Amino acid sequence: MKTFSTVPGKERSRDVACNLCLSNHYKTLLRSADFLFVKCSSCGLIYQNPQPFFADLKERYTTDYFKYEFNNEENFFGLMKLGLKDIGMDQLKPENGRGCFLDIGCATGKLMEDMRGRGWQVQGVDLCRKSAEYGWKKRKVRIFAGTLEQAAFQSGSFNIIHSSHLIEHVPDPRAFIREIKRILLPGGQAIITTPNISGFQARLFRKKWRSAIGDHLTLFSVSTLKRLLREEGFKVLKIRTWGGLAAGTAPLIIKKPADYLAKKFGFGDVMLFLVEK
Ligand SMILES: [Zn+2]
């Protein structure tokens, strides 16, 4: 089954250059009624082209998106914790009892609440205003409703920045990564999780892959995301991928070894990067 995606209404769109290398040369890769993914002929980045204007795009993240996040709150939180556990950070406490944690694309703030419980000062950012309001009402966690750039945090504000399943939605991933670097403290760490188009499922399912959807503007591979992070001056500490076959696509006797192998050899369906400033 595909990931939730909005059905775009009347959006204006435009041609965009490759976000990684600025080339305008590409080949059509995946086409459906909802999207057209191209592959940069120069660096191999896979992105949607054309792309909607941001003023139109942001309208996708309203009521229906809130419902999706709200209904899947526990599920997504569980997955995030598993990812963090994999890199030994699921029970992380701030050094000397003080530390600032930012969750970008925090939805209803469940992870923020968890981190606050271990002594972190927490801040969130989410484009969906309803999610931000719900987070404050239910958990008293502060969530800025808008983009990371609009939040305009001071340089060097955070020890840890977490962003799960967000970078594939943003129109300018390079600017996004650059902003994360700016607002991290020196030595601070960022955790970025996103679907892996170099994974086994993406290769198998092509345009039917669950993460090939209209809301995902860029589909990174391990190598294209690594390149972006390194070019923006991050040191890559850990890369993990997981998920060999989605639940329901194969019997357990096949799914279990597929999951094991995907993780071991780095062709899992989702990838996580831990990087340091
Ligand atoms: Zn390129």
Side-chain angles (χ1 to χ4, degrees):
M1 203 179 84
K2 287 229 176 190
T3 302
F4 171 83
S5 186
T6 44
V7 180
K10 276 191 180 164
E11 289 177 344
R12 296 159 296 163
S13 62
R14 62 189 172 121
D15 282 338
V16 293
C18 171
N19 189 254
L20 197 49
C21 77
L22 301 177
S23 168
N24 283 304
H25 299 282
Y26 54 81
K27 289 198 170 93
T28 296
L29 188 74
L30 307 170
R31 186 196 291 271
S32 87
D34 294 337
F35 55 73
L36 174 58
F37 283 99
V38 302
K39 183 174 184 175
C40 173
S41 304
S42 172
C43 75
L45 185 73
I46 294 165
Y47 61 103
Q48 281 198 54
N49 201 11
Q51 288 190 11
F53 282 92
F54 185 70
D56 296 343
L57 181 74
K58 69 180 173 46
E59 298 306 319
R60 295 183 183 191
Y61 300 98
T62 51
T63 308
D64 287 351
Y65 216 84
F66 169 69
K67 280 184 199 156
Y68 169 67
E69 293 290 354
F70 176 79
N71 290 332
N72 287 286
E73 194 179 72
E74 292 296 332
N75 180 21
F76 293 159
F77 174 67
L79 290 171
M80 282 190 286
K81 288 289 276 186
L82 276 178
L84 290 171
K85 190 176 177 186
D86 216 329
I87 54 169
M89 292 176 81
D90 61 317
Q91 299 300 327
L92 195 67
K93 288 183 182 156
E95 265 180 56
N96 309 317
R98 278 183 66 85
C100 294
F101 171 81
L102 172 66
D103 195 9
I104 312 169
C106 61
T108 53
K110 182 100 175 125
L111 182 65
M112 293 167 65
E113 183 179 48
D114 180 68
M115 294 295 281
R116 185 178 59 193
R118 276 193 306 282
W120 292 91
Q121 290 189 345
V122 297
Q123 171 73 50
V125 174
D126 203 285
L127 194 53
C128 178
R129 181 166 296 278
K130 280 179 188 281
S131 294
E133 286 168 358
Y134 178 81
W136 175 253
K137 213 168 120 189
K138 171 144 187 220
R139 316 202 147 93
K140 292 287 177 279
V141 289
R142 280 185 306 163
I143 302 172
F144 175 82
T147 68
L148 176 63
E149 287 84 353
Q150 286 165 349
F153 295 113
Q154 286 192 356
S155 299
S157 295
F158 299 100
N159 303 81
I160 305 280
I161 296 180
H162 175 266
S163 182
S164 178
H165 291 278
L166 178 71
I167 193 171
E168 65 271 24
H169 295 258
V170 307
D172 188 346
R174 186 179 288 283
F176 177 73
I177 292 297
R178 196 169 285 168
E179 181 66 356
I180 287 178
K181 178 127 183 289
R182 186 185 70 77
I183 61 178
L184 266 177
L185 283 155
Q189 296 182 345
I191 301 146
I192 311 283
T193 306
T194 187
N196 172 21
I197 198 161
S198 48
F200 174 66
Q201 289 189 51
R203 290 165 199 263
L204 184 67
F205 295 113
R206 307 278 301 166
K207 72 178 178 186
K208 294 200 164 80
W209 180 39
R210 62 176 169 170
S211 292
I213 55 169
D215 285 348
H216 292 170
L217 302 180
T218 309
L219 293 170
F220 286 98
S221 64
V222 172
S223 66
T224 54
L225 185 54
K226 194 194 288 173
R227 175 175 163 176
L228 174 60
L229 289 161
R230 283 190 174 155
E231 283 180 357
E232 290 305 320
F234 277 110
K235 183 177 167 194
V236 176
L237 301 180
K238 285 180 186 173
I239 302 172
R240 295 283 186 277
T241 82
W242 60 83
L245 283 169
T249 57
L252 268 186
I253 197 167
I254 295 171
K255 180 175 158 47
K256 276 202 163 177
D259 286 349
Y260 170 78
L261 290 170
K263 191 166 177 197
K264 187 169 167 72
F265 294 107
F267 54 82
D269 199 46
V270 173
M271 58 184 169
L272 178 153
F273 277 65
L274 174 65
V275 297
E276 190 175 276
K277 175 171 172 177

